[in-house]
Amino acid sequence: MNRRISDLLDGYEDGSVDISGDTPLSPARIKELTRKRITKKKSGLPRILGAAAAAAACMGLVFLAGYAARTVEHTPGGPDFQDPHPTVEPTADTDPYQPPQCPDGCDMLPGGFNPVLRYNGIFYHWVGLNQSSYNGYVDENGRTHTPTYRPAGFEAVGDFTVISHVTEEEPNELELKAGFDATGTVYANPEKPAAVYVRVETEWFAESYIRFTADYYESGLICFEGQLYWFSFGSESPHLDELPEDAVSVGALHVVDKDLIPSGQLEINFSTDSYGNPLEGREVFRVPMDSDAIYVYEEQFWQGGSYDAWVTCPRWEGPAG
């Protein structure tokens, strides 16, 4: 069952309302499916979308314009957060956030490519708003607002400068190649170098925390016997209807923080499968003497029904580029 891509946003887990970035149709899950279609380049050059991914990603931009940016420091939804625009249940006639149809050739963001930040000599790529709720609104000046947050442990390392025009030049240290005007601050955590959070303000959305991930990062990475494997998402991911006859169980998955590269046995850095079901404790199989792939069970859905499948997780050698 293919997902529809609506935006490039991230979320967080809240105990009372499930707005987790790992829910089936959450911004983060949609973002992950979108990002698989973007050609990665270690040089930091623009990532060009295919026609289908570009059209879908544009829908995300329009959806983003309905939600964007109100900033919450460290504790999303905490005592310091005052939402001036409480959630109102929209209708088909009044919902201001319904994305219209996107014409062919739309760009993901105003610059036409995923913004790239250089920090500590590493290229980090724009993932999306690190949301704390969906209570978004558009102010009288046309700027969008949505509560976002910075995870604990990420501290300021400096303000960025911006490349506001479209170019193939690589950004310098603490420089954001965006293709649009922006200001803000970069936050890093030396214990989690695969991600940075950037406080960004533009003329089209108010101050927001944006999550960026490094060239070498991917979601759905599994560590097994010191080697990384990749659990890909969606009904188009490689899978088997039956396990190989000689496959054996090797243990169960353990979910770790999304900003980490897994290093412990059977750790995975994403918490749900393609259909929002928890990956924690999910059994893993392998074929003895075959180190090219491992297999993870997933109940897949199609045309109103479901069936058993085993996602084939190949060895992950790093991003193309």
Side-chain angles (χ1 to χ4, degrees):
M1 178 178 72
N2 293 324
R3 303 290 173 80
R4 296 298 180 190
I5 303 166
S6 62
D7 58 27
L8 303 174
L9 313 180
D10 258 341
Y12 90 114
E13 294 189 2
D14 179 272
S16 59
V17 180
D18 186 7
I19 58 171
S20 164
D22 305 331
T23 52
L25 296 179
S26 70
R29 178 71 258 117
I30 295 165
K31 178 268 301 179
E32 297 297 343
L33 295 174
T34 303
R35 193 162 175 253
K36 301 303 176 285
R37 301 179 184 272
I38 302 172
T39 301
K40 300 180 180 178
K41 294 187 178 181
K42 285 190 177 181
S43 65
L45 298 181
R47 301 174 177 188
I48 306 302
L49 294 173
C58 177
M59 292 179 66
L61 173 61
V62 180
F63 193 80
L64 173 68
Y67 282 116
R70 186 174 189 269
T71 301
V72 180
E73 296 276 343
H74 290 293
T75 308
D80 295 334
F81 175 62
Q82 299 291 328
D83 185 1
H85 295 263
T87 301
V88 177
E89 192 69 27
T91 68
D93 296 328
T94 63
D95 183 5
Y97 309 133
Q98 283 190 329
Q101 292 297 314
C102 179
D104 292 340
C106 295
D107 292 329
M108 175 183 298
L109 288 168
F113 56 88
N114 247 8
V116 178
L117 172 77
R118 189 172 192 169
Y119 170 63
N120 267 352
I122 298 172
F123 293 109
Y124 290 84
H125 299 275
W126 173 300
V127 174
L129 290 171
N130 201 49
Q131 284 183 276
S132 56
S133 87
Y134 296 154
N135 293 338
Y137 67 96
V138 180
D139 65 24
E140 63 276 10
N141 297 316
R143 290 207 310 170
T144 52
H145 298 251
T146 279
T148 62
Y149 74 102
R150 168 167 50 98
F154 284 82
E155 303 298 337
V157 295
D159 294 341
F160 65 81
T161 58
V162 69
I163 301 175
S164 60
H165 57 282
V166 177
T167 177
E168 291 190 355
E169 66 183 277
E170 294 181 350
N172 296 314
E173 184 70 7
L174 281 179
E175 188 170 44
L176 175 67
K177 182 171 67 173
F180 52 84
D181 288 324
T183 58
T185 304
V186 178
Y187 298 82
N189 182 341
E191 296 182 357
K192 299 176 180 179
V196 295
Y197 290 81
V198 184
R199 190 170 182 172
V200 178
E201 183 168 15
T202 76
E203 63 181 10
W204 45 283
F205 66 82
E207 283 189 346
S208 307
Y209 283 114
I210 309 294
R211 183 173 180 247
F212 284 68
T213 56
D215 266 342
Y216 59 82
Y217 174 89
E218 188 59 84
S219 287
L221 294 180
I222 300 171
C223 180
F224 175 62
E225 295 186 344
Q227 171 66 44
L228 289 174
Y229 294 81
W230 182 44
F231 182 101
S232 59
F233 299 92
S235 59
E236 296 179 357
S237 61
H239 63 273
L240 302 175
D241 294 334
E242 294 182 358
L243 277 173
E245 289 185 0
D246 50 350
V248 296
S249 175
V250 294
L253 292 176
H254 172 60
V255 175
V256 296
D257 191 284
K258 68 179 181 179
D259 292 328
L260 292 174
I261 301 295
S263 58
Q265 180 75 338
L266 293 180
E267 289 182 346
I268 183 171
N269 63 353
F270 207 77
S271 62
T272 62
D273 63 15
S274 304
Y275 303 94
N277 298 312
L279 285 170
E280 178 70 38
R282 191 77 62 87
E283 195 168 11
V284 180
F285 298 84
R286 70 167 298 184
V287 173
M289 307 305 293
D290 180 4
S291 62
D292 290 335
I294 58 178
Y295 306 92
V296 178
Y297 172 78
E298 180 176 73
E299 182 182 11
Q300 298 192 345
F301 297 84
W302 183 251
Q303 294 181 342
S306 67
Y307 60 94
D308 294 337
W310 281 264
V311 176
T312 303
C313 306
R315 286 170 61 104
W316 193 76
E317 306 295 345

